Coordinates of all heavy atoms in Angstrom, one line a residue:
M1 N -30.8 8.2 17.4 CA -30.3 8.9 16.2 C -30.8 8.4 14.9 O -31.0 7.2 14.7 CB -28.8 8.7 16.2 CG -28.0 9.8 17.1 SD -26.3 9.4 17.1 CE -25.8 10.0 15.5
A2 N -31.1 9.3 14.0 CA -31.6 8.9 12.7 C -30.5 8.8 11.7 O -30.0 9.8 11.2 CB -32.7 10.0 12.3
I3 N -30.1 7.6 11.5 CA -29.1 7.3 10.5 C -29.8 6.6 9.3 O -30.4 5.6 9.5 CB -28.0 6.5 11.0 CG1 -27.3 7.2 12.2 CG2 -27.0 6.1 9.9 CD1 -26.2 6.4 12.9
R4 N -29.7 7.2 8.2 CA -30.3 6.5 7.0 C -29.7 5.2 6.7 O -28.4 5.2 6.6 CB -30.3 7.5 5.8 CG -31.4 8.5 6.0 CD -31.5 9.4 4.8 NE -32.0 8.5 3.6 CZ -32.4 9.1 2.5 NH1 -32.4 10.3 2.3 NH2 -32.8 8.3 1.5
N5 N -30.4 4.2 6.5 CA -29.9 2.9 6.2 C -29.6 2.8 4.7 O -30.6 2.9 3.9 CB -30.9 1.8 6.6 CG -30.4 0.5 6.5 OD1 -29.2 0.3 6.2 ND2 -31.2 -0.5 6.7
Q6 N -28.4 2.7 4.4 CA -28.0 2.7 3.0 C -28.1 1.2 2.5 O -27.0 0.6 2.3 CB -26.6 3.2 2.7 CG -26.6 4.7 3.1 CD -25.2 5.3 2.8 OE1 -24.2 4.8 3.3 NE2 -25.1 6.3 2.0
M7 N -29.2 0.8 2.2 CA -29.4 -0.6 1.8 C -28.6 -1.0 0.6 O -28.1 -2.1 0.5 CB -30.9 -0.9 1.6 CG -31.7 -1.0 2.9 SD -33.4 -1.4 2.6 CE -33.2 -3.1 2.0
A8 N -28.5 -0.1 -0.4 CA -27.9 -0.5 -1.7 C -26.4 -0.7 -1.5 O -25.8 -1.4 -2.3 CB -28.2 0.6 -2.7
T9 N -25.8 -0.1 -0.5 CA -24.3 -0.2 -0.4 C -23.9 -0.9 0.9 O -22.8 -0.7 1.4 CB -23.8 1.2 -0.4 OG1 -24.3 2.0 0.6 CG2 -24.0 1.9 -1.7
R10 N -24.7 -1.7 1.4 CA -24.4 -2.3 2.7 C -23.1 -3.1 2.8 O -22.4 -3.1 3.8 CB -25.6 -3.3 3.2 CG -26.7 -2.5 3.7 CD -27.6 -3.4 4.4 NE -27.1 -3.8 5.7 CZ -27.8 -4.3 6.7 NH1 -29.1 -4.4 6.5 NH2 -27.3 -4.6 7.8
S11 N -22.8 -3.8 1.7 CA -21.6 -4.6 1.7 C -20.4 -3.8 1.4 O -19.3 -4.2 1.4 CB -21.7 -5.8 0.8 OG -21.9 -5.4 -0.5
L12 N -20.6 -2.5 1.0 CA -19.4 -1.6 0.7 C -19.6 -0.4 1.5 O -20.1 0.6 1.1 CB -19.5 -1.2 -0.8 CG -19.2 -2.4 -1.8 CD1 -19.6 -1.9 -3.2 CD2 -17.8 -2.8 -1.8
D13 N -19.2 -0.5 2.8 CA -19.4 0.6 3.7 C -18.5 1.8 3.4 O -17.4 1.7 3.0 CB -19.0 0.1 5.1 CG -20.1 -0.8 5.6 OD1 -21.2 -0.8 5.1 OD2 -19.8 -1.6 6.6
G14 N -19.1 2.9 3.5 CA -18.4 4.2 3.3 C -18.1 4.5 1.9 O -18.6 3.8 1.0
D15 N -17.2 5.4 1.7 CA -16.9 5.8 0.3 C -15.8 4.9 -0.3 O -14.9 4.4 0.4 CB -16.3 7.3 0.3 CG -17.4 8.3 0.8 OD1 -18.6 7.9 0.9 OD2 -17.0 9.4 1.0
M16 N -15.9 4.8 -1.6 CA -14.8 4.1 -2.3 C -14.0 5.1 -3.0 O -14.6 6.1 -3.5 CB -15.4 3.2 -3.4 CG -15.9 1.9 -3.0 SD -16.6 1.1 -4.4 CE -15.6 -0.4 -4.5
T17 N -12.8 4.9 -3.2 CA -12.0 5.7 -4.1 C -12.1 5.2 -5.6 O -12.5 4.0 -5.7 CB -10.6 5.8 -3.8 OG1 -10.0 4.6 -3.9 CG2 -10.4 6.3 -2.3
V18 N -11.8 6.0 -6.5 CA -11.8 5.5 -7.9 C -10.9 4.3 -8.1 O -11.3 3.3 -8.7 CB -11.4 6.7 -8.8 CG1 -11.1 6.1 -10.2 CG2 -12.4 7.8 -8.9
D19 N -9.7 4.3 -7.4 CA -8.8 3.2 -7.5 C -9.4 1.9 -6.9 O -9.3 0.8 -7.5 CB -7.5 3.5 -6.9 CG -6.6 4.4 -7.7 OD1 -6.9 4.5 -8.9 OD2 -5.7 4.9 -7.2
E20 N -10.1 2.1 -5.8 CA -10.7 0.9 -5.2 C -11.8 0.4 -6.0 O -12.0 -0.8 -6.1 CB -11.3 1.3 -3.8 CG -10.2 1.4 -2.7 CD -10.7 2.1 -1.5 OE1 -11.8 2.7 -1.5 OE2 -10.0 2.0 -0.5
F21 N -12.6 1.3 -6.7 CA -13.6 0.8 -7.5 C -13.1 0.0 -8.7 O -13.6 -1.1 -9.0 CB -14.4 2.0 -8.1 CG -15.5 1.6 -9.0 CD1 -16.8 1.3 -8.5 CD2 -15.4 1.7 -10.4 CE1 -17.8 0.9 -9.3 CE2 -16.4 1.3 -11.2 CZ -17.6 0.9 -10.7
K22 N -12.0 0.5 -9.3 CA -11.4 -0.2 -10.4 C -10.8 -1.6 -10.0 O -10.9 -2.5 -10.7 CB -10.2 0.7 -11.0 CG -10.8 1.9 -11.8 CD -9.6 2.7 -12.3 CE -10.2 3.9 -13.1 NZ -9.1 4.8 -13.6
E23 N -10.2 -1.6 -8.8 CA -9.7 -2.8 -8.3 C -10.8 -3.8 -8.1 O -10.7 -5.0 -8.4 CB -8.9 -2.6 -7.0 CG -7.8 -3.5 -6.8 CD -7.0 -3.2 -5.5 OE1 -6.5 -2.0 -5.4 OE2 -7.0 -4.0 -4.6
W24 N -11.9 -3.3 -7.5 CA -13.0 -4.2 -7.2 C -13.6 -4.7 -8.5 O -13.9 -5.9 -8.6 CB -14.1 -3.3 -6.5 CG -15.4 -4.0 -6.3 CD1 -15.7 -5.0 -5.4 CD2 -16.6 -3.7 -7.0 NE1 -17.0 -5.3 -5.5 CE2 -17.6 -4.6 -6.4 CE3 -16.9 -2.8 -8.0 CZ2 -18.9 -4.6 -6.9 CZ3 -18.2 -2.8 -8.4 CH2 -19.2 -3.7 -7.9
L25 N -13.7 -3.9 -9.5 CA -14.3 -4.3 -10.8 C -13.4 -5.3 -11.5 O -13.9 -6.3 -12.1 CB -14.4 -3.0 -11.7 CG -15.4 -3.1 -12.8 CD1 -16.8 -3.4 -12.3 CD2 -15.4 -1.8 -13.6
R26 N -12.1 -5.1 -11.3 CA -11.2 -6.1 -12.0 C -11.3 -7.5 -11.5 O -11.0 -8.4 -12.2 CB -9.7 -5.6 -11.7 CG -8.7 -5.9 -12.8 CD -7.4 -5.2 -12.5 NE -7.4 -3.8 -12.4 CZ -7.2 -3.0 -13.4 NH1 -7.0 -3.5 -14.6 NH2 -7.3 -1.7 -13.3
R27 N -11.8 -7.6 -10.3 CA -12.0 -9.0 -9.7 C -13.0 -9.8 -10.5 O -13.1 -11.0 -10.4 CB -12.4 -8.9 -8.3 CG -11.2 -8.7 -7.3 CD -11.7 -8.8 -5.9 NE -11.9 -7.6 -5.2 CZ -12.7 -7.4 -4.2 NH1 -13.5 -8.3 -3.8 NH2 -12.8 -6.2 -3.7
F28 N -13.9 -9.1 -11.2 CA -14.9 -9.7 -11.9 C -14.6 -10.0 -13.4 O -15.4 -10.4 -14.2 CB -16.2 -8.9 -11.8 CG -16.6 -8.8 -10.3 CD1 -16.3 -7.7 -9.6 CD2 -17.3 -9.9 -9.7 CE1 -16.7 -7.6 -8.3 CE2 -17.7 -9.8 -8.4 CZ -17.3 -8.7 -7.6
D29 N -13.4 -9.6 -13.8 CA -12.9 -9.8 -15.1 C -12.6 -11.3 -15.3 O -11.4 -11.7 -15.3 CB -11.8 -8.9 -15.4 CG -11.3 -9.1 -16.9 OD1 -12.0 -9.6 -17.7 OD2 -10.1 -8.6 -17.1
V30 N -13.5 -12.1 -15.4 CA -13.3 -13.6 -15.3 C -12.6 -14.1 -16.5 O -11.8 -15.1 -16.4 CB -14.6 -14.4 -15.1 CG1 -15.1 -14.2 -13.7 CG2 -15.6 -14.1 -16.1
N31 N -12.7 -13.5 -17.7 CA -12.0 -14.0 -18.8 C -10.6 -13.3 -19.0 O -10.0 -13.5 -20.0 CB -12.8 -14.0 -20.1 CG -13.3 -12.6 -20.5 OD1 -12.9 -11.6 -19.8 ND2 -14.1 -12.5 -21.5
H32 N -10.3 -12.4 -18.1 CA -9.0 -11.7 -18.1 C -8.6 -11.0 -19.4 O -7.5 -11.1 -19.8 CB -7.9 -12.7 -17.7 CG -8.1 -13.3 -16.3 ND1 -8.0 -12.6 -15.2 CD2 -8.4 -14.6 -16.0 CE1 -8.3 -13.5 -14.2 NE2 -8.6 -14.7 -14.6
D33 N -9.6 -10.4 -20.0 CA -9.3 -9.6 -21.2 C -9.1 -8.2 -20.9 O -8.9 -7.3 -21.8 CB -10.3 -9.8 -22.3 CG -11.7 -9.3 -21.9 OD1 -11.9 -8.9 -20.7 OD2 -12.6 -9.3 -22.7
G34 N -9.1 -7.8 -19.6 CA -8.9 -6.4 -19.2 C -10.1 -5.5 -19.4 O -10.0 -4.3 -19.2
R35 N -11.2 -6.1 -19.8 CA -12.4 -5.3 -20.0 C -13.6 -6.0 -19.3 O -13.5 -7.2 -19.0 CB -12.8 -5.2 -21.5 CG -11.7 -4.6 -22.3 CD -12.0 -4.5 -23.8 NE -12.3 -5.9 -24.3 CZ -12.6 -6.1 -25.6 NH1 -12.7 -5.1 -26.4 NH2 -12.8 -7.3 -26.0
I36 N -14.6 -5.2 -19.0 CA -15.7 -5.8 -18.3 C -16.9 -5.8 -19.2 O -17.3 -4.8 -19.8 CB -16.1 -4.9 -17.1 CG1 -14.9 -4.8 -16.0 CG2 -17.4 -5.3 -16.4 CD1 -14.6 -6.1 -15.4
N37 N -17.4 -7.0 -19.5 CA -18.5 -7.1 -20.3 C -19.8 -7.2 -19.5 O -19.8 -7.1 -18.3 CB -18.4 -8.4 -21.3 CG -18.4 -9.7 -20.5 OD1 -18.9 -9.8 -19.4 ND2 -17.7 -10.7 -21.1
R38 N -20.9 -7.3 -20.2 CA -22.2 -7.2 -19.5 C -22.4 -8.3 -18.4 O -22.9 -8.0 -17.3 CB -23.3 -7.3 -20.5 CG -24.7 -7.1 -20.0 CD -25.7 -7.1 -21.1 NE -27.0 -7.5 -20.6 CZ -28.0 -7.8 -21.4 NH1 -27.8 -7.8 -22.7 NH2 -29.2 -8.1 -20.9
E39 N -22.0 -9.5 -18.7 CA -22.1 -10.6 -17.8 C -21.2 -10.4 -16.6 O -21.6 -10.7 -15.4 CB -21.9 -11.9 -18.5 CG -22.3 -13.1 -17.7 CD -23.8 -13.0 -17.3 OE1 -24.7 -12.6 -18.1 OE2 -24.1 -13.4 -16.1
E40 N -20.0 -9.9 -16.8 CA -19.1 -9.7 -15.7 C -19.6 -8.5 -14.8 O -19.5 -8.6 -13.6 CB -17.7 -9.3 -16.3 CG -17.1 -10.6 -16.9 CD -15.9 -10.2 -17.7 OE1 -15.6 -9.1 -18.1 OE2 -15.1 -11.2 -18.1
L41 N -20.2 -7.5 -15.4 CA -20.7 -6.4 -14.7 C -21.9 -6.8 -13.9 O -22.1 -6.4 -12.7 CB -21.1 -5.3 -15.6 CG -21.7 -4.0 -15.0 CD1 -20.6 -3.4 -14.1 CD2 -22.1 -3.0 -16.0
R42 N -22.7 -7.7 -14.4 CA -23.8 -8.3 -13.7 C -23.4 -9.0 -12.4 O -24.0 -8.8 -11.4 CB -24.6 -9.2 -14.6 CG -25.9 -9.7 -14.0 CD -26.6 -10.6 -14.9 NE -27.8 -11.1 -14.2 CZ -28.7 -12.0 -14.8 NH1 -28.4 -12.4 -16.0 NH2 -29.7 -12.4 -14.1
C43 N -22.4 -9.8 -12.5 CA -21.8 -10.5 -11.4 C -21.4 -9.5 -10.3 O -21.6 -9.7 -9.1 CB -20.6 -11.4 -11.8 SG -21.1 -12.8 -12.7
A44 N -20.7 -8.5 -10.8 CA -20.2 -7.4 -9.8 C -21.4 -6.8 -9.1 O -21.4 -6.6 -7.9 CB -19.4 -6.4 -10.6
M45 N -22.4 -6.5 -9.8 CA -23.6 -5.8 -9.2 C -24.3 -6.7 -8.3 O -24.8 -6.2 -7.3 CB -24.5 -5.4 -10.3 CG -24.1 -4.2 -11.1 SD -25.3 -3.6 -12.3 CE -24.5 -2.2 -13.0
R46 N -24.3 -8.0 -8.6 CA -25.0 -8.9 -7.6 C -24.3 -9.0 -6.3 O -25.0 -9.2 -5.3 CB -25.1 -10.3 -8.3 CG -26.1 -10.3 -9.4 CD -26.1 -11.6 -10.1 NE -27.0 -12.6 -9.5 CZ -27.3 -13.7 -10.1 NH1 -26.9 -14.0 -11.3 NH2 -28.2 -14.5 -9.5
T47 N -23.0 -8.8 -6.3 CA -22.3 -8.9 -5.0 C -22.7 -7.7 -4.1 O -22.5 -7.7 -2.9 CB -20.8 -8.9 -5.2 OG1 -20.3 -7.7 -5.7 CG2 -20.4 -10.0 -6.1
I48 N -23.1 -6.6 -4.7 CA -23.6 -5.5 -3.8 C -25.1 -5.4 -3.7 O -25.7 -4.4 -3.5 CB -23.0 -4.1 -4.3 CG1 -23.3 -3.9 -5.8 CG2 -21.5 -4.1 -4.1 CD1 -22.9 -2.5 -6.3
R49 N -25.7 -6.5 -4.0 CA -27.1 -6.7 -3.9 C -27.9 -5.7 -4.7 O -28.9 -5.1 -4.2 CB -27.5 -6.5 -2.4 CG -26.9 -7.6 -1.5 CD -27.3 -7.4 -0.1 NE -26.4 -8.2 0.8 CZ -26.5 -8.1 2.1 NH1 -27.4 -7.3 2.6 NH2 -25.7 -8.8 2.8
T50 N -27.4 -5.4 -5.9 CA -28.2 -4.5 -6.7 C -29.4 -5.3 -7.3 O -29.3 -6.4 -7.7 CB -27.3 -4.1 -7.9 OG1 -26.1 -3.5 -7.5 CG2 -28.0 -3.2 -8.9
R51 N -30.5 -4.6 -7.2 CA -31.7 -5.2 -7.7 C -31.8 -5.0 -9.2 O -31.2 -4.1 -9.7 CB -33.0 -4.6 -7.1 CG -33.0 -4.8 -5.6 CD -34.2 -4.1 -5.0 NE -35.4 -4.8 -5.3 CZ -36.7 -4.3 -5.1 NH1 -36.8 -3.1 -4.5 NH2 -37.7 -4.9 -5.4
F52 N -32.4 -5.9 -9.9 CA -32.5 -5.9 -11.4 C -31.1 -5.8 -12.0 O -30.8 -5.0 -12.9 CB -33.3 -4.7 -11.8 CG -34.6 -4.6 -11.1 CD1 -34.9 -3.5 -10.2 CD2 -35.6 -5.5 -11.2 CE1 -36.1 -3.4 -9.5 CE2 -36.8 -5.4 -10.5 CZ -37.0 -4.4 -9.7
S53 N -30.2 -6.6 -11.5 CA -28.8 -6.5 -11.9 C -28.6 -6.7 -13.4 O -27.8 -6.1 -14.1 CB -27.9 -7.4 -11.1 OG -28.3 -8.8 -11.3
G54 N -29.4 -7.6 -14.0 CA -29.3 -7.8 -15.4 C -29.7 -6.6 -16.2 O -28.9 -6.2 -17.1
Y55 N -30.8 -6.0 -15.9 CA -31.2 -4.7 -16.5 C -30.2 -3.6 -16.3 O -29.8 -2.9 -17.3 CB -32.6 -4.4 -16.0 CG -33.1 -3.0 -16.3 CD1 -33.5 -2.7 -17.6 CD2 -33.1 -2.0 -15.4 CE1 -34.0 -1.5 -17.9 CE2 -33.5 -0.7 -15.7 CZ -34.0 -0.5 -17.0 OH -34.4 0.8 -17.3
K56 N -29.8 -3.5 -15.1 CA -28.9 -2.4 -14.8 C -27.5 -2.6 -15.4 O -26.8 -1.6 -15.7 CB -28.8 -2.2 -13.3 CG -30.0 -1.5 -12.7 CD -29.9 -1.1 -11.3 CE -31.2 -0.4 -10.8 NZ -31.2 -0.2 -9.4
S57 N -27.0 -3.8 -15.5 CA -25.7 -4.0 -16.1 C -25.8 -3.6 -17.6 O -24.9 -3.0 -18.2 CB -25.2 -5.4 -16.0 OG -26.1 -6.3 -16.5
K58 N -26.9 -3.9 -18.2 CA -27.1 -3.5 -19.6 C -27.1 -2.0 -19.8 O -26.4 -1.4 -20.6 CB -28.4 -4.1 -20.2 CG -28.6 -3.7 -21.7 CD -30.0 -4.2 -22.2 CE -30.1 -3.9 -23.7 NZ -29.9 -2.5 -24.0
R59 N -27.8 -1.4 -18.9 CA -27.9 0.1 -18.8 C -26.5 0.7 -18.6 O -26.1 1.7 -19.2 CB -28.8 0.6 -17.8 CG -30.3 0.4 -18.1 CD -30.8 1.3 -19.1 NE -30.6 2.7 -18.7 CZ -31.5 3.4 -18.0 NH1 -32.6 2.9 -17.5 NH2 -31.2 4.7 -17.7
G60 N -25.8 0.1 -17.7 CA -24.4 0.6 -17.4 C -23.5 0.5 -18.5 O -22.7 1.4 -18.8
I61 N -23.5 -0.6 -19.3 CA -22.7 -0.8 -20.5 C -23.1 0.2 -21.5 O -22.3 0.9 -22.1 CB -22.8 -2.2 -21.1 CG1 -22.4 -3.3 -20.1 CG2 -22.1 -2.3 -22.4 CD1 -20.9 -3.5 -19.9
D62 N -24.4 0.4 -21.7 CA -24.9 1.3 -22.7 C -24.4 2.7 -22.4 O -24.1 3.5 -23.2 CB -26.4 1.3 -22.8 CG -27.0 0.1 -23.5 OD1 -26.2 -0.7 -24.1 OD2 -28.2 -0.2 -23.4
Y63 N -24.4 3.0 -21.1 CA -24.1 4.4 -20.6 C -22.6 4.7 -20.8 O -22.2 5.7 -21.3 CB -24.5 4.5 -19.1 CG -24.3 5.8 -18.5 CD1 -25.3 6.8 -18.5 CD2 -23.0 6.2 -18.0 CE1 -25.1 8.0 -18.0 CE2 -22.9 7.5 -17.4 CZ -23.9 8.4 -17.4 OH -23.7 9.6 -16.9
A64 N -21.8 3.7 -20.5 CA -20.3 3.9 -20.4 C -19.5 3.5 -21.6 O -18.4 3.9 -21.8 CB -19.8 3.3 -19.2
D65 N -20.1 2.6 -22.5 CA -19.4 2.1 -23.6 C -19.3 3.0 -24.7 O -20.1 3.1 -25.6 CB -20.1 0.8 -24.0 CG -19.4 0.1 -25.1 OD1 -18.2 0.4 -25.3 OD2 -20.0 -0.8 -25.8
A66 N -18.2 3.8 -24.7 CA -18.1 4.9 -25.7 C -17.8 4.4 -27.1 O -18.3 5.0 -28.0 CB -16.9 5.8 -25.2
N67 N -17.1 3.3 -27.2 CA -16.7 2.9 -28.6 C -17.7 1.7 -29.1 O -17.5 1.2 -30.2 CB -15.3 2.4 -28.7 CG -14.9 1.2 -27.8 OD1 -15.8 0.7 -27.2 ND2 -13.7 0.9 -27.7
G68 N -18.6 1.4 -28.3 CA -19.7 0.5 -28.7 C -19.3 -1.0 -28.9 O -20.0 -1.7 -29.7
D69 N -18.2 -1.4 -28.3 CA -17.9 -2.8 -28.4 C -18.5 -3.8 -27.4 O -18.2 -4.9 -27.4 CB -16.3 -3.0 -28.4 CG -15.7 -2.6 -27.1 OD1 -16.5 -2.2 -26.2 OD2 -14.5 -2.8 -26.9
G70 N -19.3 -3.2 -26.6 CA -20.1 -4.0 -25.6 C -19.3 -4.3 -24.3 O -19.8 -5.0 -23.5
C71 N -18.1 -3.8 -24.2 CA -17.3 -4.0 -23.0 C -16.8 -2.6 -22.5 O -16.7 -1.6 -23.2 CB -16.0 -4.8 -23.3 SG -16.4 -6.5 -23.9
I72 N -16.5 -2.6 -21.2 CA -16.0 -1.4 -20.6 C -14.5 -1.6 -20.4 O -14.0 -2.5 -19.6 CB -16.6 -1.2 -19.2 CG1 -18.1 -1.1 -19.3 CG2 -16.0 0.1 -18.5 CD1 -18.6 0.0 -20.2
D73 N -13.7 -0.8 -21.1 CA -12.2 -0.9 -20.9 C -11.8 0.2 -20.0 O -12.6 1.0 -19.5 CB -11.5 -0.9 -22.2 CG -11.7 0.3 -23.0 OD1 -11.9 1.4 -22.4 OD2 -11.7 0.3 -24.2
D74 N -10.5 0.3 -19.7 CA -9.9 1.3 -18.8 C -10.4 2.7 -19.1 O -10.6 3.5 -18.1 CB -8.4 1.2 -18.7 CG -7.9 0.2 -17.7 OD1 -8.8 -0.4 -17.0 OD2 -6.7 -0.1 -17.7
S75 N -10.4 3.0 -20.3 CA -10.7 4.4 -20.7 C -12.2 4.7 -20.5 O -12.6 5.9 -20.5 CB -10.3 4.7 -22.1 OG -11.1 4.0 -23.0
E76 N -13.0 3.7 -20.3 CA -14.4 3.9 -20.2 C -14.9 3.7 -18.8 O -16.1 4.0 -18.5 CB -15.2 2.9 -21.1 CG -14.9 3.2 -22.6 CD -15.3 2.1 -23.5 OE1 -15.5 0.9 -23.0 OE2 -15.4 2.3 -24.7
V77 N -14.0 3.4 -17.9 CA -14.4 3.1 -16.5 C -15.0 4.4 -15.9 O -15.9 4.3 -15.1 CB -13.2 2.6 -15.7 CG1 -13.5 2.7 -14.2 CG2 -12.9 1.2 -16.0
D78 N -14.5 5.5 -16.3 CA -15.0 6.8 -15.7 C -16.5 6.9 -15.9 O -17.2 7.4 -15.0 CB -14.3 8.0 -16.3 CG -12.9 8.1 -15.7 OD1 -12.6 7.4 -14.7 OD2 -12.1 8.8 -16.3
G79 N -16.9 6.5 -17.1 CA -18.4 6.6 -17.4 C -19.2 5.6 -16.5 O -20.3 5.9 -16.1
L80 N -18.6 4.5 -16.3 CA -19.2 3.5 -15.4 C -19.3 4.0 -14.0 O -20.3 3.7 -13.3 CB -18.5 2.1 -15.5 CG -19.2 0.9 -14.9 CD1 -20.5 0.7 -15.7 CD2 -18.3 -0.3 -15.0
I81 N -18.3 4.7 -13.5 CA -18.3 5.2 -12.2 C -19.4 6.2 -12.1 O -20.1 6.3 -11.1 CB -16.9 5.9 -11.9 CG1 -15.8 4.8 -11.7 CG2 -17.0 6.8 -10.7 CD1 -14.4 5.3 -11.6
D82 N -19.5 7.0 -13.1 CA -20.6 8.0 -13.2 C -22.0 7.3 -13.0 O -22.8 7.7 -12.2 CB -20.5 8.8 -14.5 CG -21.3 10.1 -14.5 OD1 -21.4 10.7 -13.4 OD2 -21.8 10.4 -15.6
Y83 N -22.1 6.3 -13.8 CA -23.4 5.5 -13.8 C -23.6 4.9 -12.4 O -24.7 4.9 -11.9 CB -23.3 4.4 -14.8 CG -24.5 3.5 -14.8 CD1 -25.7 3.9 -15.4 CD2 -24.5 2.3 -14.2 CE1 -26.8 3.1 -15.4 CE2 -25.6 1.5 -14.2 CZ -26.8 1.9 -14.8 OH -27.9 1.1 -14.7
A84 N -22.6 4.3 -11.8 CA -22.7 3.6 -10.5 C -23.1 4.6 -9.4 O -23.9 4.2 -8.5 CB -21.3 3.0 -10.1
Q85 N -22.7 5.8 -9.5 CA -23.1 6.8 -8.5 C -24.5 7.2 -8.7 O -25.3 7.4 -7.8 CB -22.1 8.0 -8.6 CG -20.7 7.6 -8.2 CD -19.8 8.9 -8.0 OE1 -19.7 9.4 -6.9 NE2 -19.3 9.4 -9.1
K86 N -24.9 7.4 -10.0 CA -26.2 7.9 -10.2 C -27.3 6.8 -10.1 O -28.4 7.1 -9.5 CB -26.3 8.4 -11.7 CG -25.7 9.7 -11.9 CD -25.8 10.1 -13.4 CE -25.1 11.5 -13.6 NZ -24.9 11.7 -15.0
S87 N -27.0 5.6 -10.5 CA -28.0 4.6 -10.6 C -27.9 3.5 -9.5 O -28.9 2.8 -9.2 CB -28.0 3.9 -11.9 OG -28.2 4.9 -12.9
L88 N -26.7 3.3 -8.9 CA -26.5 2.2 -8.0 C -26.4 2.8 -6.5 O -26.3 2.0 -5.6 CB -25.3 1.4 -8.3 CG -25.3 0.8 -9.7 CD1 -24.0 -0.1 -9.9 CD2 -26.5 0.0 -10.0
G89 N -26.3 4.1 -6.4 CA -26.1 4.7 -5.1 C -24.8 4.5 -4.5 O -24.6 4.7 -3.3
L90 N -23.8 4.1 -5.3 CA -22.4 4.0 -4.7 C -21.8 5.4 -4.6 O -22.1 6.3 -5.3 CB -21.5 3.2 -5.7 CG -21.8 1.7 -5.9 CD1 -20.8 1.1 -6.8 CD2 -21.9 1.0 -4.6
R91 N -21.0 5.5 -3.6 CA -20.3 6.8 -3.4 C -18.8 6.6 -3.7 O -18.1 5.9 -3.0 CB -20.5 7.3 -1.9 CG -21.9 7.6 -1.7 CD -22.1 8.0 -0.2 NE -21.4 9.2 0.2 CZ -21.2 9.5 1.4 NH1 -21.7 8.8 2.4 NH2 -20.5 10.6 1.7
I92 N -18.4 7.2 -4.8 CA -17.0 7.0 -5.2 C -16.3 8.4 -5.2 O -16.8 9.3 -5.9 CB -17.0 6.4 -6.6 CG1 -17.7 5.0 -6.5 CG2 -15.6 6.2 -7.1 CD1 -18.1 4.5 -7.9
V93 N -15.3 8.5 -4.5 CA -14.6 9.8 -4.4 C -13.3 9.8 -5.3 O -12.8 8.7 -5.6 CB -14.2 10.1 -2.9 CG1 -15.5 10.3 -2.1 CG2 -13.4 9.0 -2.3
A94 N -12.9 10.9 -5.6 CA -11.8 11.0 -6.6 C -10.5 10.5 -6.1 O -9.6 10.0 -6.8 CB -11.6 12.5 -7.0
Y95 N -10.2 10.5 -4.8 CA -9.0 10.0 -4.2 C -9.1 9.5 -2.8 O -10.2 9.7 -2.2 CB -7.9 11.2 -4.3 CG -8.3 12.4 -3.6 CD1 -8.1 12.6 -2.2 CD2 -9.0 13.4 -4.3 CE1 -8.5 13.7 -1.6 CE2 -9.4 14.6 -3.7 CZ -9.1 14.8 -2.3 OH -9.5 15.9 -1.7
Ligands
CA1 CA1 -13.6 -9.5 -19.2
CA2 CA1 -16.0 -0.2 -25.0

């Protein structure tokens, strides 16, 4: 059987829900300010074996950071989800 090997998402099997994604992301909020900064996002990406995690975390912040403070807060997570699906190959479902 030809099953495509999803290398980018190996440690996160199957689909994630939006809530699961948020919960997962929250684990990397090491300074507990409720927001994800570039360095925290980079750590998160490394756990899913994202290549070029430094570059991609910068891109992710740029993409999702609507108010330009350099961090992703709760209201901006949707943008990051969008980015994760487009650029990281994650599959995140609405519920
Ligand atoms: Ca933080
Ligand atoms: Ca922000």
Side-chain angles (χ1 to χ4, degrees):
M1 272 176 77
I3 297 172
R4 283 187 64 168
N5 189 7
Q6 294 181 308
M7 287 182 68
T9 57
R10 282 194 74 161
S11 62
L12 294 168
D13 287 338
D15 295 349
M16 275 179 126
T17 66
V18 168
D19 283 346
E20 283 168 347
F21 180 84
K22 288 179 180 175
E23 208 178 304
W24 173 75
L25 202 59
R26 211 176 297 271
R27 280 190 257 153
F28 300 95
D29 181 17
V30 290
N31 62 4
H32 301 291
D33 64 353
R35 301 179 300 181
I36 299 299
N37 63 30
R38 185 176 155 192
E39 195 51 42
E40 290 165 347
L41 183 60
R42 184 180 179 182
C43 290
M45 286 186 179
R46 288 174 87 167
T47 68
I48 54 170
R49 301 180 194 174
T50 302
R51 297 177 72 189
F52 313 115
S53 58
Y55 168 75
K56 286 188 175 172
S57 59
K58 181 183 184 306
R59 289 285 304 273
I61 299 282
D62 287 348
Y63 185 92
D65 183 18
N67 63 6
D69 66 356
C71 298
I72 303 303
D73 62 32
D74 271 354
S75 68
E76 294 164 344
V77 166
D78 288 344
L80 193 61
I81 288 170
D82 198 33
Y83 177 82
Q85 294 190 96
K86 283 180 183 162
S87 300
L88 306 182
L90 294 184
R91 294 175 62 193
I92 301 163
V93 294
Y95 53 88

